[in-house]
Amino acid sequence: MIPKKIKEILKKQHYGLVGNHSAVQICRWTKNSLRDQGVCYKEKFYGIQSHRCCQMTPSVVFCPNKCIHCWRAIEYTLGDKIKGKIDSPKEIIDGCIEAQRKLLQGFKVDKKSNKKQLSKANMKKWKEAQEPMQFAISLSGEPTVYPKLGEIIEELRKRGKTSFLVSNGLYPEKLNELKAKDQLPTQLYISVNVPNKEMYQGFHRSIKKDAWERLMKSLEIMAKLKNKTRTIFRINLIRDINMDEKHIKEFAKLIKKAKPLFVEAKGYMSVGFARQRLGYDRMPNHKEIMNFAKKLAKTTGLRILDEHERSRVVVLGKNKKDLKIKKV
């Protein structure tokens, strides 16, 4: 299903390929946590454990967009439909756990070996990491393209695991389906990176002619998910593109439409193939992100609840006590 050339590119980027269309990759924060060198902002904000997080996707090279800030090789996108054999949710989950275990083998410390150990991993954490309890359904591609996404979320819930779904919001019908079937994730993210329709196509380069309208519909659906799931409106901030003062009111208007529980203002990172489109000079520093967040908070009436400087992210909301996840 995925051409050999693309598989080779993904493997060079340390992806663990799973089945016909899924993949995992060890997040640097998972690695840091295993070495006791700090944890992801998601652990600091929401309480998930970085070393037990599985960063995965059920649609690794399938997406309707070719966003300029995306770290994947968007030139090799295979469209917005998964063709051929569709793997089952159980196959994907079990395959991702197994692939993650293989990728983590290099962190294991063999006390019986006489060889010098390069790993500085915390072995208690490493053992716990063999059974990830948090699935970040994002990584690459658009996860709502996978037709059985709700069943993945439902199966993870049965196994007592949390799920964070990150979507570009171009499939409102899928969000409605997840809502109707009670298959919503623990936390739903919708990425909104531009404040108006005029900027959308230049930034996202979507094959969907009605992409902006679809995104607006998804934000309307998000507003109706109160008490059904945790909702997050995410803005990936890029210097000299979407951080201008004039965009604050426009973003605030969209936030009002979506009525999210939280807003994440997160800095663009020049990594992977994104470096070929946007340089390091486009990465805002944490001070710039905080200034943007303060202005956004003032305009929306929200409060800055927390920040994670190393990840260059600030979270806004109404009440800090709501940040931590209390149940799956």
Side-chain angles (χ1 to χ4, degrees), residues 171-221:
Y171 295 91
E173 62 275 15
K174 176 58 73 171
L175 298 184
N176 272 328
E177 179 187 318
L178 296 179
K179 178 185 176 185
K181 294 183 177 180
D182 190 25
Q183 294 175 332
L184 288 164
T186 309
Q187 200 150 280
L188 170 66
Y189 288 76
I190 294 182
S191 293
V192 186
N193 303 311
V194 292
N196 57 59
K197 184 176 181 179
E198 289 68 35
M199 292 177 64
Y200 190 92
Q201 191 58 22
F203 188 101
H204 291 290
R205 300 185 289 187
S206 183
I207 62 173
K208 299 286 189 186
K209 293 182 179 180
D210 60 343
W212 179 257
E213 288 72 25
R214 285 174 168 271
L215 175 58
M216 293 302 101
K217 180 63 178 175
S218 290
L219 295 184
E220 290 173 5
I221 294 170

Side-chain angles (χ1 to χ4, degrees), residues 89 146-155 157 174 177-178 181-184:
Y146 174 64
K148 298 181 180 180
L149 177 62
E151 293 175 44
I152 286 184
I153 294 168
E154 191 171 47
E155 178 65 21
R157 192 187 303 157
K174 176 58 73 171
E177 179 187 318
L178 296 179
K181 294 183 177 180
D182 190 25
Q183 294 175 332
L184 288 164

